[in-house]
Amino acid sequence: MQLIQENPDLSAYLAADEAIDHHHPQVREVSARLAADVHDSYEYARVAFMYVRDRITHSQDADDPRVTWRASDVLEQGTGICYAKSHTLAALLRAEDIPTALCYQHLGVVHGLVAVRFNGAWHRQDPRGNKPGVDARFSLDGERLAFTPDPASGESDHPVLYAAPHPAVLRALRDATDRAQLWRTLPTAL
């Protein structure tokens, strides 16, 4: 699949916004801690991915009713669904000047991922969190995502790389009073 930058200006994929608040002290503290033990940006990206995948629970898997959407809140509360975890990984990577896009799959509902730019190419990553049947890994040599869309079931990859969270995603997260309500209002299309 050919990935398409929504914005041709690569600096847009380094910007902070309300959800990807990489200037927040909580995000800066975690990014500095992760960066202290690595030698280059590739290793940092891998370590940041594993931190979000493994240390931030997926609220559905953990049966946590809280809804988070801002990266700093996700880091503080330690939980979030795929969108929130993607916002957090994007913030940690952008905090270290690694261009990062938000991207999506349609799996009956919209599923959130990130794409990181290295060596002039975008590489999709899925920090959702592993569980039985899900084995997502950081990879620059071919995708190791949590899910593979089934075209026969109407599932698909969405090729657009967004600099900011899609408005439908943000609206669902912001409007939800808890995860149960969020689950009923997840976007089914972009």
Side-chain angles (χ1 to χ4, degrees):
M1 173 184 63
Q2 178 73 26
L3 297 173
I4 304 162
Q5 279 183 222
E6 172 194 39
N7 189 327
D9 182 358
L10 198 56
S11 68
Y13 298 93
L14 293 169
D17 61 31
E18 195 175 9
I20 304 170
D21 57 344
H22 65 75
H23 296 303
H24 189 281
Q26 181 81 24
V27 177
R28 300 308 285 181
E29 185 275 322
V30 173
S31 68
R33 187 167 16 101
L34 296 174
D37 295 326
V38 300
H39 303 300
D40 59 31
S41 59
Y42 301 104
E43 189 178 355
Y44 175 81
R46 183 184 58 76
V47 167
F49 169 85
M50 291 188 328
Y51 182 88
V52 173
R53 183 194 67 187
D54 299 342
R55 299 277 306 269
I56 306 297
T57 64
H58 189 285
S59 55
Q60 176 73 11
D61 296 348
D63 197 25
D64 190 323
R66 296 174 291 173
V67 176
T68 55
W69 57 273
R70 186 179 287 121
S72 57
D73 294 338
V74 172
L75 290 171
E76 179 185 319
Q77 295 182 40
T79 194
I81 68 164
C82 62
Y83 310 135
K85 291 181 73 154
S86 294
H87 300 167
T88 305
L89 181 55
L92 290 171
L93 295 174
R94 289 180 184 187
E96 295 296 320
D97 295 320
I98 299 171
T100 308
L102 297 167
C103 47
Y104 303 94
Q105 293 176 313
H106 178 265
L107 304 171
V109 295
V110 175
H111 174 62
L113 317 163
V114 302
V116 60
R117 189 164 176 88
F118 281 114
N119 299 324
W122 290 100
H123 306 273
R124 293 189 311 162
Q125 313 295 327
D126 191 343
R128 181 227 177 271
N130 290 339
K131 64 179 186 172
V134 175
D135 185 26
R137 298 181 183 261
F138 183 81
S139 177
L140 301 177
D141 299 320
E143 294 185 336
R144 298 288 308 269
L145 304 177
F147 306 108
T148 302
D150 176 14
S153 298
E155 298 177 346
S156 62
D157 286 307
H158 190 68
V160 177
L161 301 172
Y162 295 92
H166 192 281
V169 167
L170 274 182
R171 186 171 38 258
L173 290 168
R174 286 180 178 157
D175 290 350
T177 56
D178 61 22
R179 186 181 38 80
Q181 180 193 12
L182 176 62
W183 238 239
R184 292 188 301 273
T185 60
L186 287 173
T188 58
L190 296 178

